[in-house]
Amino acid sequence: MLLQPKKRKNLKSKFILWVSLIVISSIFFILFIKFEGEKPSIIIDVTSDFFGLSQEITGKVSDSKSGLKKFVLKVVKEGKEIVLLDQEYPYHDLLRGGTLNNEPFKIIFEPKKLNISDGKAILKAEISDYSWRGWFKGNKTFWEKEIQIDTKPPIIEVFSKSHNVRQGGCGLIIYKLSEDCKESGVSVGGDFYPGYSGYFDKEDVFICFFALNYMQDSDTEMFVRAFDLAGNLSKAGFYHYIINKKFKHDRIPISDSFLNKKMPEFGQVSTDPNSPTSLIDIFLMVNRDMRIKNGEIISKFAEKTDRKMYWDGLFLRLPNAAPKASFADTRKYLYKGEVIDEQVHLGIDLASLAKSDVPAANSGKVVMLETIGIYGRTILIDHGFGLMSVYSHLSQFNVTQNQLVSKGDIIGKTGDTGLAGGDHLHFSVLVNKTFVNPIEWWDESWIKNNITSKLEEAKTYFK
């Protein structure tokens, strides 16, 4: 059946109308999408406001809709702009926009190579996308941060003159810095001992207790180092004399009665179901592996110290006690006449009557009360500025965490907890995280010549 001309005309008009609506809607949809107003993102990782000789600047730019178009990173110093990065990103075509939605970046900023002088500057960034907004100029995001350019290393002035250090012993150095530093202290053969301000009520004057561990001899390199806030490094040598020392060797027999008595205390020393279960094998795991882990626990507590000199004068030792083992003794352990292990004893063993009162060697703060593997019940006292004393194998504690104690206060009683064959006190001294010979701290002349005379001289100088 043929449609009448009028009906055909109406259908044609409706068809044209629908097509026009679809075309117009599509155009509006495209325009809506392409004229989107979401701004691109800039993330710049700047960990410090201070920029030194060489500064890595990293980050990421992104735009999830139209794609990345152009990224510029620059420094503005005294009205002058220096472009660090000028990156244009590719695009598909006018309709599809950019090919990249996310892009990381990394540059090395070296002010001297760019003839940029020290002082305040502004780090600026600008990112645009392929949106049609702004007559095809795209959406833009701006970012800026004030920075301080500092390419000069700090000046280190060592005040203390003489530093005589025994192998396994320690010393004190006093130095001054020309500017604020994020880290300073003494490097000893790769070990680092932080310096602390505050003793002289001057933020630029530092004291540092440093140590020579029992394995380090006269060939060990020592120097003061400092990193300023911009990461510039300075090193300064200082006069020192290292006295080598030979330590004793002991032979300790391990009996079945000792194993039967002590090994049950340690229970399951390994989570490995295939670990050995014989008493002698458990002893070896305790004496080797547990010893290392226990030392790490004590060192972790020793990392935090108060900037206050709690102690004064001679350190006390356990009264009426006989020494049973020396510092840094190399111990060979024998079972049924054969050497089965070798370890180094990092303290002094003192024996008196069973469950004798243990006095605090000097004034300080109790920073640890723990039962720690081979050390048994142990107390750690912070004497300030990185100097600490350790009391192990105790049978009981008489103090609480963070308690301030005075020299001579009874902090516990001797015992045989941990890997102890009998009732005694294992006494240690720590400088930062290094065990040192306690005998120095029981010697009034040594303390005066190496510690207190330096502090008194500096106090007079820095008044």
Side-chain angles (χ1 to χ4, degrees):
M1 178 179 175
L2 296 174
L3 294 174
Q4 296 179 6
K6 187 175 181 180
K7 288 184 177 181
R8 287 201 302 271
K9 187 176 180 181
N10 287 339
L11 287 173
K12 185 176 179 181
S13 297
K14 288 181 179 180
F15 176 77
I16 292 171
L17 178 62
W18 278 107
V19 169
S20 299
L21 287 173
I22 291 170
V23 170
I24 291 170
S25 298
S26 300
I27 290 171
F28 272 105
F29 178 75
I30 291 171
L31 291 175
F32 176 77
I33 294 297
K34 300 313 294 179
F35 277 89
E36 56 88 12
E38 184 175 311
K39 292 186 176 183
S41 168
I42 304 174
I43 298 174
I44 299 179
D45 299 320
V46 179
T47 57
S48 172
D49 296 340
F50 291 82
F51 283 40
L53 282 170
S54 180
Q55 177 74 40
E56 183 179 86
I57 304 174
T58 61
K60 184 178 76 170
V61 289
S62 60
D63 186 90
S64 61
K65 293 188 174 179
S66 299
L68 298 168
K69 184 178 182 182
K70 186 178 177 67
F71 175 52
V72 177
L73 181 66
K74 56 190 174 183
V75 169
V76 181
K77 179 78 165 60
E78 297 171 348
K80 181 182 177 182
E81 291 189 351
I82 301 95
V83 176
L84 306 179
L85 180 64
D86 189 344
Q87 178 70 54
E88 292 189 9
Y89 300 101
Y91 76 112
H92 290 291
D93 49 46
L94 194 62
L95 288 176
R96 288 185 291 174
T99 63
L100 295 173
N101 297 107
N102 294 279
E103 186 73 2
F105 67 89
K106 179 173 74 172
I107 65 166
I108 303 298
F109 174 44
E110 297 174 300
K112 282 196 171 182
K113 289 186 178 181
L114 297 171
N115 293 319
I116 301 175
S117 60
D118 286 4
K120 288 184 179 180
I122 299 175
L123 187 63
K124 287 189 173 184
E126 177 184 327
I127 181 73
S128 61
D129 63 15
Y130 277 101
S131 170
W132 291 1
R133 187 171 284 251
W135 297 106
F136 302 97
K137 291 181 180 179
N139 300 301
K140 291 185 178 182
T141 298
F142 300 91
W143 178 97
E144 68 176 51
K145 181 180 179 64
E146 187 176 278
I147 61 173
Q148 181 76 29
I149 298 173
D150 175 13
T151 60
K152 297 179 178 64
I155 298 170
I156 304 169
E157 180 186 354
V158 177
F159 175 79
S160 48
K161 305 304 179 187
S162 61
H163 308 88
N164 299 317
V165 190
R166 292 188 180 95
Q167 191 171 346
C170 57
L172 175 74
I173 191 168
I174 303 168
Y175 60 93
K176 185 177 181 180
L177 299 177
S178 63
E179 60 178 293
D180 289 343
C181 288
K182 58 185 175 183
E183 179 187 272
S184 72
V186 177
S187 178
V188 181
D191 296 329
F192 180 69
Y193 299 89
Y196 302 96
S197 62
Y199 182 81
F200 301 103
D201 296 323
K202 291 180 177 292
E203 289 303 309
D204 59 346
V205 181
F206 293 74
I207 68 170
C208 176
F209 288 105
F210 64 96
L212 197 69
N213 71 47
Y214 70 95
M215 294 181 292
Q216 294 171 322
D217 57 21
S218 56
D219 294 328
T220 305
E221 184 181 24
M222 292 185 187
F223 55 86
V224 182
R225 80 177 193 210
F227 286 95
D228 67 16
L229 299 177
N232 300 304
L233 169 65
S234 282
K235 295 180 181 180
F238 58 91
Y239 290 108
H240 62 272
Y241 177 69
I242 295 174
I243 305 164
N244 290 340
K245 180 175 175 58
K246 289 186 177 181
F247 299 101
K248 293 196 307 184
H249 288 71
D250 286 338
R251 295 168 69 86
I252 299 178
I254 301 299
S255 65
D256 287 327
S257 61
F258 171 80
L259 295 174
N260 285 320
K261 178 185 176 184
K262 299 302 296 185
M263 289 308 101
E265 283 187 30
F266 297 96
Q268 185 70 33
V269 295
S270 173
T271 56
D272 183 356
N274 298 316
S275 62
T277 56
S278 72
L279 292 179
I280 193 63
D281 287 334
I282 291 174
F283 167 78
L284 291 173
M285 291 183 70
V286 169
N287 205 40
R288 295 171 183 169
D289 302 338
M290 186 178 285
R291 182 182 296 273
I292 294 171
K293 292 177 181 177
N294 296 159
E296 290 171 350
I297 291 172
I298 293 174
S299 294
K300 196 70 178 174
F301 279 98
E303 287 179 355
K304 294 183 179 179
T305 185
D306 288 351
R307 296 188 184 194
K308 183 174 181 180
M309 197 74 82
Y310 290 115
W311 66 275
D312 181 38
L314 193 69
F315 277 58
L316 302 180
R317 53 173 286 168
L318 184 69
N320 305 313
K324 295 298 182 181
S326 303
F327 175 78
D329 286 357
T330 297
R331 292 176 160 181
K332 291 184 184 292
Y333 296 86
L334 288 80
Y335 181 65
K336 295 182 179 179
E338 292 187 8
V339 176
I340 57 171
D341 199 11
E342 181 177 298
Q343 299 294 334
V344 178
H345 182 250
L346 296 178
I348 292 181
D349 288 347
L350 299 166
S352 183
L353 298 175
K355 296 187 178 178
S356 295
D357 288 342
V358 176
N362 219 313
S363 301
K365 180 194 287 187
V366 176
V367 293
M368 186 192 79
L369 291 165
E370 298 281 342
T371 299
I372 304 177
I374 67 166
Y375 295 97
R377 290 178 183 166
T378 299
I379 295 174
L380 178 62
I381 295 178
D382 177 20
H383 301 291
F385 295 101
L387 178 65
M388 302 195 179
S389 55
V390 186
Y391 311 77
S392 297
H393 303 316
L394 302 177
S395 59
Q396 73 177 55
F397 298 143
N398 287 14
V399 288
T400 58
Q401 184 76 18
N402 295 323
Q403 180 180 334
L404 292 175
V405 295
S406 297
K407 184 195 297 190
D409 286 353
I410 303 305
I411 60 173
K413 290 184 179 293
T414 62
D416 63 355
T417 57
L419 199 61
D423 187 293
H424 71 279
L425 171 68
H426 173 90
F427 179 72
S428 299
V429 174
L430 279 168
V431 172
N432 193 28
K433 297 186 289 185
T434 300
F435 289 95
V436 297
N437 198 338
I439 286 178
E440 293 183 334
W441 296 93
W442 294 335
D443 183 341
E444 193 168 9
S445 295
W446 180 88
I447 292 175
K448 180 180 179 181
N449 294 333
N450 293 277
I451 309 297
T452 54
S453 62
K454 292 181 180 180
L455 294 173
E456 288 167 5
E457 182 182 359
K459 266 187 177 178
T460 302
Y461 183 83
F462 289 117
K463 270 187 177 178

